């Protein structure tokens, strides 16, 4: 009876997930029912595993279980502990899924990193109803305690029935068989395994089919981040050819490309703006029906818009590391920025001789150890962060984006007035939970359900109106920056780069040319705009681009001489555009995948199972066509693995 009570509690959380968090393009009732069936089997497995100690206690104590005060207290204490831990875990899992669209896994420990716990705690406090949640958990625990104690007392009050030894032995054997069968979970040779839940390509269906606790435990392995010298040498000739390394020597892993200076180009400032949680599918430039980004649309119409631009992985810390170092963050358990052995890199930003170098963030740069990525690699960089700005903090992420941009303009204008070129990395944050918006200059207004076409809104992918308004606020502040740049005089001699660091979690959408949501690649597809009418004519670039390419591109535009030690290339180099790909990583069926993508093909490798697939994005983008294209499959397999191995090598061997 206690086992059924516990199983019922797990099913309640599954129902909460289904009715309040489950969102999928798959509407087939049979598929959803199959996910439920598998999920209930996983729930029963967990309930039986957790009840093993109680079962052993009952078998050993026999009728003394109900008559001994100590045994009763042990029983009650154990049940209280497991219900408490389960409640905490499931609440965290639902919050994690609400935020990232993924079940909780061991990488969540990154939020407990030294110096970051307080920041992340404040984010939770400001984003979620913590007090009500705690009160609700207390109420739930009171009800649970009442329930399992009543079950115990109900059986304790019954008169005992004499049982002969053979009868008791049969009872124990039956109990063991039932527990074993339930934990095994399959009418097959192999026991129930997590891979059975991954019978579709859909993360939501897979998440519904899994039990989050068992999934977390199955992934609780820690692998040391390192590199494989032999594998790096194996793929080096191919990667060197792809990057355009001059005279590569096979036995010397030298990825350096020397780019001479061009004195004919005007010495431009550079402002790189990271747009928090700004995915391509969310913006006006990519036909989102809500048209939330008119200012970015105007910049794209008058600048260079890269249509097939990708970040290497979904994570702000990973994106900041990738753009700065020119290397994808392929660290699994945490992030590269949190790894002391990786943050020392030779980067292009450091080579802007004669430039003042700025990193501007409304919050604190101890976040994710990002401070070290800049101060350890860019000599003389000035960091403007929490404590510098006169404006008050808006939320856990520091001053509002409006105030950050307003006060950053003062820094840019000061450099401009003294004719000092500068390069700046400006990191926005308000398009992130808790989705704080301000009135800006007094003319920004949040829209409500009465102000928008909610039928159209449901097709846009936005999870809620807060997310939609936060993106509108981000776009508003981009417009604010451009107005200030014009008023302060540095608009015409500055190269502006705007890019999204990753997409926010979205509901299903279908307005993009390819089914990005079903492919799971929408998290990496972001807008990138380079704006400088003095140097660049308006155009839309269709060849693939990556976050790794931004600094080599702006360095080439400014005409400075530099050495490129990274895996990035010039985005505006059209001589090899047909063969350009972007290296990406994403979660499909809760498995981590890596691959190469451009406007025509996606090649994919499941890093857990090593399964591969080639998808023609201009045909049926969900159909694996590797059997029909063996040559291309082989080439992209080598390039993908080569990029991965080269990245791992350079992370530890690209020190200054």
């Amino acid at each position: 009876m206690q086992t059924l009570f516990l199983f019922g509690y797990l099913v309640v959380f599954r129902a909460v997930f289904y009715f309040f968090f489950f969102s999928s393009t798959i509407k087939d009732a049979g598929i959803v029912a199959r996910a439920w069936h598998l999920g209930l089997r996983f729930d029963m497995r967990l309930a039986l595993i957790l009840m093993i100690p109680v079962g052993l206690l009952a078998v050993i104590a026999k009728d003394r279980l109900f008559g001994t005060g100590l045994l009763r207290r042990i029983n009650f204490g154990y049940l209280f502990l497991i219900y408490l831990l389960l409640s905490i875990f499931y609440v965290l899992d639902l919050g994690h899924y609400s935020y990232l669209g993924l079940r909780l896994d061991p990488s969540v420990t990154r939020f407990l990193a030294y110096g970051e716990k307080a920041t992340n705690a404040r984010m939770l406090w400001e984003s979620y109803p913590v007090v009500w949640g705690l009160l609700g958990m207390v109420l739930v625990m009171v009800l649970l305690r009442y329930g399992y104690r009543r079950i115990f007392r109900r059986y304790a009050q019954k008169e005992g029935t004499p049982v002969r030894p053979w009868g008791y032995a049969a009872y124990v054997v039956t109990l063991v068989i039932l527990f074993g069968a339930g934990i095994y979970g399959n009418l097959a040779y192999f026991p129930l395994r997590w891979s059975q839940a991954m019978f579709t390509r859909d993360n939501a269906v897979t998440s519904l089919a899994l039990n989050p606790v068992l999934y977390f435990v199955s992934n609780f392995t820690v692998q040391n981040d390192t590199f494989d010298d032999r594998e790096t040498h194996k793929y080096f000739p191919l990667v060197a050819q792809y990057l355009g390394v001059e005279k590569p020597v096979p036995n010397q892993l030298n990825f350096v490309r020397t780019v001479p200076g061009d004195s004919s180009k005007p010495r431009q400032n550079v402002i790189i703006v990271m747009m928090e949680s700004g995915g391509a599918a969310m913006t006006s430039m990519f036909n989102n029906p809500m048209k939330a980004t008119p200012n970015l649309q105007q910049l794209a119409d008058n600048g260079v818009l890269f249509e097939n631009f990708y970040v290497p992985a979904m994570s702000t810390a990973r994106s900041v590391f990738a753009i700065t170092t020119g290397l994808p963050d392929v660290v699994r358990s945490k992030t590269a920025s949190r790894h002391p052995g990786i943050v020392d890199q030779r980067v292009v930003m450091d080579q802007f001789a004669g430039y003042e170098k700025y990193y501007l963030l409304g919050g604190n740069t101890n976040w994710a150890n990002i401070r070290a990525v800049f101060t350890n690699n860019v000599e003389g960089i000035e960091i403007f962060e929490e404590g510098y700005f006169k404006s008050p903090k808006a939320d856990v992420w520091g001053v509002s984006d409006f105030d950050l941009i307003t006060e950053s303009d003062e820094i840019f204008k000061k450099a401009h007035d003294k004719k000092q070129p500068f390069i700046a990395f400006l990191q926005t944050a308000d398009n992130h939970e808790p989705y704080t918006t301000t009135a800006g200059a007094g003319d920004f207004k949040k829209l409500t359900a009465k102000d928008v076409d909610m039928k159209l809104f449901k097709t846009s992918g936005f999870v809620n109106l807060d997310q939609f308004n936060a993106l509108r606020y981000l776009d508003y502040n981009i417009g604010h920056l451009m107005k200030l740049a014009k008023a302060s005089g540095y608009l015409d001699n500055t190269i502006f780069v705007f890019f999204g660091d990753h997409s926010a979690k979205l509901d299903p959408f279908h307005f993009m040319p390819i089914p990005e949501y079903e492919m799971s690649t929408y998290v990496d597809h972001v807008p990138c705009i380079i704006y400088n009418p003095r140097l660049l004519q308006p155009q839309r670039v269709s060849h693939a681009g990556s976050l790794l390419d931004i600094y080599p591109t702006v360095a080439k535009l400014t005409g400075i001489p530099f050495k490129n030690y990274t895996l990035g290339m010039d985005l505006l180099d059209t001589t090899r555009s047909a063969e350009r790909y972007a290296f990406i990583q994403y979660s499909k069926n809760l498995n981590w995948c890596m691959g190469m993508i451009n406007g025509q093909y996606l090649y994919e490798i499941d890093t857990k199972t090593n399964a591969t697939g080639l998808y023609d994005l201009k045909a049926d983008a969900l159909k694996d066509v590797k059997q029909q294209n063996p040559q291309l499959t082989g080439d992209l397999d080598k390039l993908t693995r080569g990029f991965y191995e080269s990245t791992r090598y350079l992370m530890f061997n690209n020190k200054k």
Side-chain angles (χ1 to χ4, degrees):
M1 194 67 186
Q2 293 283 18
T3 303
L4 290 176
F5 188 76
L6 175 58
F7 172 68
Y9 186 58
L10 300 179
V11 174
V12 167
F13 272 107
R14 183 168 299 279
V16 169
F17 174 83
Y18 179 72
F19 288 109
F20 297 98
F21 296 87
F22 181 79
S23 178
S24 172
T25 58
I26 296 177
K27 304 303 180 185
D28 188 325
I31 291 177
V32 175
R34 182 180 174 186
W36 262 97
H37 177 245
L38 284 167
L40 293 175
R41 286 157 64 188
F42 278 114
D43 290 346
M44 179 56 74
R45 168 184 280 179
L46 178 59
L48 290 169
I49 290 173
L50 294 175
M51 289 303 295
I52 287 175
V54 177
L56 288 174
L57 187 63
V59 168
I60 295 171
K62 298 182 181 179
D63 58 336
R64 290 183 293 114
L65 177 65
F66 298 104
T68 305
L70 176 60
L71 293 178
R72 179 179 300 196
R73 287 193 295 273
I74 291 173
N75 186 28
F76 287 170
Y78 175 77
L79 290 174
F80 182 86
L81 180 63
I82 62 171
Y83 278 113
L84 177 62
L85 294 177
L86 283 173
S87 300
I88 294 172
F89 186 93
Y90 270 90
V91 169
L92 291 175
D93 175 69
L94 292 174
H96 190 270
Y97 191 90
S98 173
Y99 176 35
L100 294 176
L102 299 172
R103 286 295 200 188
L104 200 66
D105 62 48
S107 68
V108 74
T109 56
R110 68 187 184 275
F111 296 118
L112 300 177
Y114 178 76
E116 297 179 48
K117 292 189 283 290
T119 298
N120 291 321
R122 282 197 60 198
M123 191 276 285
L124 289 173
W125 178 264
E126 295 177 6
S127 301
Y128 300 96
V130 176
V131 174
W132 285 109
L134 290 174
L135 290 174
M137 188 173 293
V138 170
L139 177 61
V140 167
M141 289 306 301
V142 169
L143 294 174
L144 288 170
R145 183 176 181 272
Y146 171 79
Y148 66 70
R149 288 168 72 94
R150 181 171 181 180
I151 292 171
F152 185 95
R153 290 189 174 117
R154 177 184 174 187
Y155 284 90
Q157 291 168 1
K158 291 185 176 182
E159 291 185 11
T161 302
V163 179
R164 294 181 179 180
W166 65 265
Y168 185 72
Y171 161 76
V172 172
V173 170
T174 302
L175 190 66
V176 170
I177 291 174
L178 289 175
F179 266 64
I183 293 171
Y184 194 86
N186 249 358
L187 293 173
Y189 181 76
F190 294 104
L192 180 66
R193 289 178 175 170
W194 55 262
S195 57
Q196 289 178 241
M198 299 173 182
F199 60 92
T200 71
R201 290 178 55 92
D202 190 88
N203 272 337
V205 171
T206 303
S207 297
L208 178 63
L210 287 169
N211 176 280
V213 177
L214 295 175
Y215 174 72
F216 184 93
V217 173
S218 68
N219 284 277
F220 201 78
T221 57
V222 179
Q223 298 177 346
N224 292 327
D225 295 304
T226 184
F227 64 94
D228 189 323
D229 191 76
R230 183 181 63 82
E231 288 293 294
T232 309
H233 276 91
K234 174 182 175 181
Y235 294 111
F236 174 73
L238 174 66
V239 175
Q241 181 183 14
Y242 176 80
L243 295 175
V245 175
E246 310 102 345
K247 299 179 181 179
V249 180
N251 293 327
Q252 298 178 12
L253 298 176
N254 188 346
F255 295 83
V256 182
R257 288 91 74 205
T258 301
V259 181
D262 186 349
S263 58
S264 67
K265 292 184 176 179
R267 186 56 59 94
Q268 299 278 287
N269 306 313
V270 178
I271 298 178
I272 298 172
V273 181
M274 191 204 84
M275 301 183 294
E276 171 65 46
S277 302
M282 304 168 72
T283 64
S284 305
M285 301 85 72
F286 292 87
N287 302 316
N288 188 289
M290 294 311 296
K291 305 298 180 186
T293 57
N295 289 306
L296 284 172
Q297 179 72 67
Q298 184 177 9
L299 289 168
D301 291 341
N302 294 280
V304 182
L305 172 66
F306 296 89
E307 297 176 318
N308 291 295
F309 187 88
Y310 294 84
V311 298
M314 181 185 180
S315 164
T316 299
R318 294 185 192 279
S319 288
V320 174
F321 177 86
I323 186 176
T324 308
T325 66
L327 301 175
D329 184 344
V330 296
V331 172
R332 286 276 59 82
S333 60
K334 294 186 178 180
T335 63
S337 65
R338 295 175 168 98
H339 197 306
I342 292 177
V343 293
D344 187 8
Q345 299 288 327
R346 292 183 289 186
V347 304
V348 174
M349 186 185 189
D350 186 47
Q351 300 177 57
F352 275 74
Y355 277 69
E356 289 190 354
K357 305 174 184 71
Y358 309 138
Y359 173 48
L360 307 106
L361 174 72
N364 191 293
T365 53
N366 286 338
W367 156 80
N369 198 36
I370 289 299
R371 180 191 302 275
V373 175
F374 288 95
T375 59
N376 204 47
N377 298 315
V378 184
E379 184 177 356
I381 190 168
E382 295 182 69
I383 292 181
F384 300 92
E385 60 178 324
E386 182 179 277
Y388 167 83
F389 301 106
K390 298 183 289 293
S391 304
K393 292 182 66 172
D395 58 24
V396 62
W397 304 122
V399 303
S400 71
D401 285 348
F402 180 84
D403 291 330
L404 170 66
I405 288 171
T406 300
E407 296 197 45
S408 295
D409 170 69
E410 298 172 5
I411 299 168
F412 302 154
K413 185 178 186 303
K414 182 178 179 181
H416 170 74
D417 289 345
K418 64 180 183 181
K419 302 187 185 307
Q420 172 63 54
F422 62 87
I423 179 169
F425 188 95
L426 177 64
Q427 182 172 334
T428 66
D430 285 341
N431 190 32
H432 186 297
E433 292 175 319
Y435 295 136
T436 300
T437 62
T438 70
D443 54 348
F444 180 80
K445 177 186 176 183
K446 293 177 69 172
L447 300 181
T448 68
K450 297 179 181 179
D451 303 314
V452 302
D453 182 341
M454 291 305 295
K455 185 176 180 181
L456 192 66
F457 182 83
K458 292 181 185 298
T459 70
S460 67
F462 288 103
V463 174
N464 51 48
L465 284 171
D466 284 341
Q467 186 186 61
F468 170 60
N469 278 312
L471 182 63
R472 291 181 56 246
Y473 183 65
L474 170 63
D475 183 76
Y476 171 87
N477 286 314
I478 298 299
H480 177 53
L481 171 63
M482 302 312 289
K483 291 176 184 176
L484 291 176
K486 183 176 182 180
S488 297
Y490 57 86
L491 177 64
D492 293 332
N493 69 324
T494 299
I495 300 167
F496 291 88
V497 181
F498 302 92
F499 76 94
D501 69 327
H502 59 76
S503 175
K505 175 185 176 293
L506 298 175
D507 281 342
F509 57 87
H510 299 100
F511 52 82
M512 297 291 279
I514 60 175
E516 290 189 347
Y517 188 90
E518 290 83 352
M519 293 164 58
S520 302
T521 57
Y522 79 91
V523 297
D524 294 333
H525 187 196
V526 299
C528 179
I529 301 167
I530 301 181
Y531 180 82
N532 184 288
R534 186 176 178 185
L535 293 176
L536 300 169
Q537 294 298 313
Q539 59 178 307
R540 296 175 76 97
V541 176
S542 60
H543 66 247
S546 170
L547 196 58
L548 316 178
D549 304 328
I550 287 182
Y551 274 107
T553 303
V554 296
K556 190 81 176 290
L557 284 173
T558 60
I560 67 165
F562 66 98
K563 289 186 176 182
N564 188 353
Y565 301 94
T566 79
L567 297 180
M569 298 186 286
D570 181 5
L571 282 167
L572 298 171
D573 181 3
T574 59
T575 59
R576 298 167 54 242
S577 59
E579 57 191 56
R580 296 261 316 240
Y581 287 85
F583 178 85
I584 60 174
Q585 303 164 98
Y586 51 95
S587 176
K588 186 185 76 173
N589 277 343
L590 301 182
N591 278 4
W592 197 248
C593 296
M594 64 179 181
M596 286 289 184
I597 191 170
N598 66 6
Q600 175 75 49
Y601 292 105
L602 165 67
Y603 182 75
E604 172 184 276
I605 301 174
D606 187 316
T607 60
K608 179 177 285 187
T609 66
N610 207 37
T612 63
L614 177 68
Y615 304 93
D616 187 341
L617 306 182
K618 292 188 176 179
D620 184 348
L622 300 177
K623 180 181 179 181
D624 186 355
V625 296
K626 65 175 181 287
Q627 298 298 332
Q628 294 89 336
N629 299 273
Q631 182 63 50
L632 180 61
T633 297
D635 291 345
L636 289 180
D637 185 81
K638 294 175 184 176
L639 185 59
T640 304
R641 298 182 193 277
F643 237 75
Y644 174 71
E645 296 298 343
S646 299
T647 297
R648 294 208 301 161
Y649 174 82
L650 286 170
M651 279 182 166
F652 292 93
N653 295 277
N654 190 35
K655 301 183 186 299
K656 296 183 290 297

mmCIF file of all heavy atoms in Angstrom, residues 280-283 286-288 307 509-516 525:
data_model
loop_
_atom_site.group_PDB
_atom_site.id
_atom_site.type_symbol
_atom_site.label_atom_id
_atom_site.label_comp_id
_atom_site.label_asym_id
_atom_site.label_seq_id
_atom_site.Cartn_x
_atom_site.Cartn_y
_atom_site.Cartn_z
ATOM 1 N N ALA A 280 16.932 33.453 -33.883
ATOM 2 C CA ALA A 280 16.488 33.922 -35.195
ATOM 3 C C ALA A 280 14.971 33.843 -35.329
ATOM 4 O O ALA A 280 14.324 34.777 -35.813
ATOM 5 C CB ALA A 280 17.164 33.099 -36.292
ATOM 6 N N ALA A 281 14.397 32.740 -34.898
ATOM 7 C CA ALA A 281 12.954 32.527 -35.079
ATOM 8 C C ALA A 281 12.107 33.519 -34.288
ATOM 9 O O ALA A 281 10.905 33.635 -34.540
ATOM 10 C CB ALA A 281 12.585 31.102 -34.675
ATOM 11 N N MET A 282 12.691 34.224 -33.351
ATOM 12 C CA MET A 282 11.941 35.166 -32.522
ATOM 13 C C MET A 282 11.827 36.546 -33.182
ATOM 14 O O MET A 282 11.035 37.377 -32.730
ATOM 15 C CB MET A 282 12.621 35.313 -31.154
ATOM 16 C CG MET A 282 12.801 34.003 -30.409
ATOM 17 S SD MET A 282 13.892 34.147 -28.966
ATOM 18 C CE MET A 282 12.846 35.079 -27.848
ATOM 19 N N THR A 283 12.614 36.792 -34.240
ATOM 20 C CA THR A 283 12.771 38.147 -34.750
ATOM 21 C C THR A 283 11.981 38.406 -36.022
ATOM 22 O O THR A 283 11.593 37.490 -36.753
ATOM 23 C CB THR A 283 14.256 38.442 -35.024
ATOM 24 O OG1 THR A 283 14.727 37.574 -36.073
ATOM 25 C CG2 THR A 283 15.096 38.208 -33.781
ATOM 26 N N PHE A 286 13.216 37.117 -39.584
ATOM 27 C CA PHE A 286 13.003 35.723 -39.961
ATOM 28 C C PHE A 286 11.514 35.364 -39.933
ATOM 29 O O PHE A 286 11.145 34.229 -39.665
ATOM 30 C CB PHE A 286 13.824 34.812 -39.051
ATOM 31 C CG PHE A 286 15.310 34.948 -39.272
ATOM 32 C CD1 PHE A 286 16.033 35.918 -38.592
ATOM 33 C CD2 PHE A 286 15.976 34.134 -40.173
ATOM 34 C CE1 PHE A 286 17.400 36.071 -38.802
ATOM 35 C CE2 PHE A 286 17.337 34.279 -40.394
ATOM 36 C CZ PHE A 286 18.057 35.251 -39.704
ATOM 37 N N ASN A 287 10.701 36.403 -40.214
ATOM 38 C CA ASN A 287 9.265 36.210 -40.474
ATOM 39 C C ASN A 287 8.444 35.790 -39.260
ATOM 40 O O ASN A 287 7.360 35.216 -39.425
ATOM 41 C CB ASN A 287 9.051 35.203 -41.610
ATOM 42 C CG ASN A 287 9.723 35.640 -42.897
ATOM 43 O OD1 ASN A 287 9.638 36.803 -43.275
ATOM 44 N ND2 ASN A 287 10.406 34.721 -43.557
ATOM 45 N N ASN A 288 8.926 36.077 -38.041
ATOM 46 C CA ASN A 288 8.062 35.810 -36.894
ATOM 47 C C ASN A 288 6.818 36.681 -37.011
ATOM 48 O O ASN A 288 6.926 37.896 -37.214
ATOM 49 C CB ASN A 288 8.792 36.107 -35.580
ATOM 50 C CG ASN A 288 7.994 35.662 -34.371
ATOM 51 O OD1 ASN A 288 6.977 36.245 -34.024
ATOM 52 N ND2 ASN A 288 8.451 34.606 -33.731
ATOM 53 N N GLU A 307 21.933 35.078 -42.813
ATOM 54 C CA GLU A 307 20.707 34.291 -42.672
ATOM 55 C C GLU A 307 20.941 32.930 -42.027
ATOM 56 O O GLU A 307 20.040 32.380 -41.401
ATOM 57 C CB GLU A 307 20.061 34.101 -44.047
ATOM 58 C CG GLU A 307 19.628 35.395 -44.700
ATOM 59 C CD GLU A 307 19.089 35.189 -46.093
ATOM 60 O OE1 GLU A 307 19.669 34.393 -46.861
ATOM 61 O OE2 GLU A 307 18.068 35.820 -46.425
ATOM 62 N N PHE A 509 6.684 26.101 -33.499
ATOM 63 C CA PHE A 509 6.408 27.103 -34.533
ATOM 64 C C PHE A 509 6.704 26.475 -35.893
ATOM 65 O O PHE A 509 7.466 25.514 -35.995
ATOM 66 C CB PHE A 509 7.250 28.364 -34.316
ATOM 67 C CG PHE A 509 8.733 28.117 -34.282
ATOM 68 C CD1 PHE A 509 9.485 28.110 -35.448
ATOM 69 C CD2 PHE A 509 9.400 27.884 -33.078
ATOM 70 C CE1 PHE A 509 10.859 27.881 -35.413
ATOM 71 C CE2 PHE A 509 10.772 27.652 -33.036
ATOM 72 C CZ PHE A 509 11.495 27.650 -34.212
ATOM 73 N N HIS A 510 6.114 27.072 -36.953
ATOM 74 C CA HIS A 510 6.251 26.468 -38.280
ATOM 75 C C HIS A 510 6.427 27.495 -39.389
ATOM 76 O O HIS A 510 6.199 27.178 -40.562
ATOM 77 C CB HIS A 510 5.030 25.591 -38.593
ATOM 78 C CG HIS A 510 4.849 24.454 -37.639
ATOM 79 N ND1 HIS A 510 3.949 24.490 -36.590
ATOM 80 C CD2 HIS A 510 5.474 23.255 -37.548
ATOM 81 C CE1 HIS A 510 4.016 23.369 -35.910
ATOM 82 N NE2 HIS A 510 4.928 22.601 -36.460
ATOM 83 N N PHE A 511 6.819 28.714 -39.071
ATOM 84 C CA PHE A 511 6.919 29.740 -40.093
ATOM 85 C C PHE A 511 8.314 29.841 -40.719
ATOM 86 O O PHE A 511 8.506 30.594 -41.665
ATOM 87 C CB PHE A 511 6.525 31.107 -39.510
ATOM 88 C CG PHE A 511 7.263 31.464 -38.246
ATOM 89 C CD1 PHE A 511 8.538 31.999 -38.292
ATOM 90 C CD2 PHE A 511 6.675 31.251 -37.000
ATOM 91 C CE1 PHE A 511 9.214 32.314 -37.129
ATOM 92 C CE2 PHE A 511 7.346 31.570 -35.840
ATOM 93 C CZ PHE A 511 8.623 32.102 -35.906
ATOM 94 N N MET A 512 9.295 29.097 -40.200
ATOM 95 C CA MET A 512 10.642 29.125 -40.756
ATOM 96 C C MET A 512 10.709 28.228 -41.998
ATOM 97 O O MET A 512 9.897 27.305 -42.160
ATOM 98 C CB MET A 512 11.654 28.671 -39.713
ATOM 99 C CG MET A 512 11.740 29.572 -38.492
ATOM 100 S SD MET A 512 12.461 31.184 -38.844
ATOM 101 C CE MET A 512 14.207 30.790 -38.830
ATOM 102 N N PRO A 513 11.681 28.456 -42.877
ATOM 103 C CA PRO A 513 11.778 27.644 -44.104
ATOM 104 C C PRO A 513 11.992 26.161 -43.840
ATOM 105 O O PRO A 513 11.608 25.323 -44.653
ATOM 106 C CB PRO A 513 12.987 28.255 -44.828
ATOM 107 C CG PRO A 513 13.121 29.631 -44.275
ATOM 108 C CD PRO A 513 12.666 29.539 -42.855
ATOM 109 N N ILE A 514 12.640 25.828 -42.729
ATOM 110 C CA ILE A 514 12.870 24.429 -42.380
ATOM 111 C C ILE A 514 12.301 24.167 -40.984
ATOM 112 O O ILE A 514 12.133 25.106 -40.198
ATOM 113 C CB ILE A 514 14.372 24.057 -42.414
ATOM 114 C CG1 ILE A 514 15.161 24.918 -41.429
ATOM 115 C CG2 ILE A 514 14.932 24.188 -43.817
ATOM 116 C CD1 ILE A 514 16.629 24.531 -41.330
ATOM 117 N N PRO A 515 11.996 22.919 -40.643
ATOM 118 C CA PRO A 515 11.400 22.612 -39.324
ATOM 119 C C PRO A 515 12.430 22.638 -38.200
ATOM 120 O O PRO A 515 12.781 21.609 -37.627
ATOM 121 C CB PRO A 515 10.820 21.214 -39.539
ATOM 122 C CG PRO A 515 11.696 20.593 -40.566
ATOM 123 C CD PRO A 515 12.068 21.718 -41.498
ATOM 124 N N GLU A 516 12.909 23.827 -37.872
ATOM 125 C CA GLU A 516 13.971 23.973 -36.878
ATOM 126 C C GLU A 516 13.556 23.459 -35.504
ATOM 127 O O GLU A 516 14.384 22.933 -34.761
ATOM 128 C CB GLU A 516 14.391 25.443 -36.755
ATOM 129 C CG GLU A 516 15.136 25.981 -37.950
ATOM 130 C CD GLU A 516 15.705 27.361 -37.682
ATOM 131 O OE1 GLU A 516 15.322 27.983 -36.671
ATOM 132 O OE2 GLU A 516 16.550 27.803 -38.465
ATOM 133 N N HIS A 525 20.405 28.705 -33.909
ATOM 134 C CA HIS A 525 20.241 29.628 -35.035
ATOM 135 C C HIS A 525 19.864 31.007 -34.500
ATOM 136 O O HIS A 525 18.810 31.182 -33.893
ATOM 137 C CB HIS A 525 19.159 29.108 -35.979
ATOM 138 C CG HIS A 525 19.041 29.910 -37.243
ATOM 139 N ND1 HIS A 525 17.949 29.827 -38.081
ATOM 140 C CD2 HIS A 525 19.874 30.806 -37.821
ATOM 141 C CE1 HIS A 525 18.118 30.632 -39.109
ATOM 142 N NE2 HIS A 525 19.282 31.243 -38.968
#
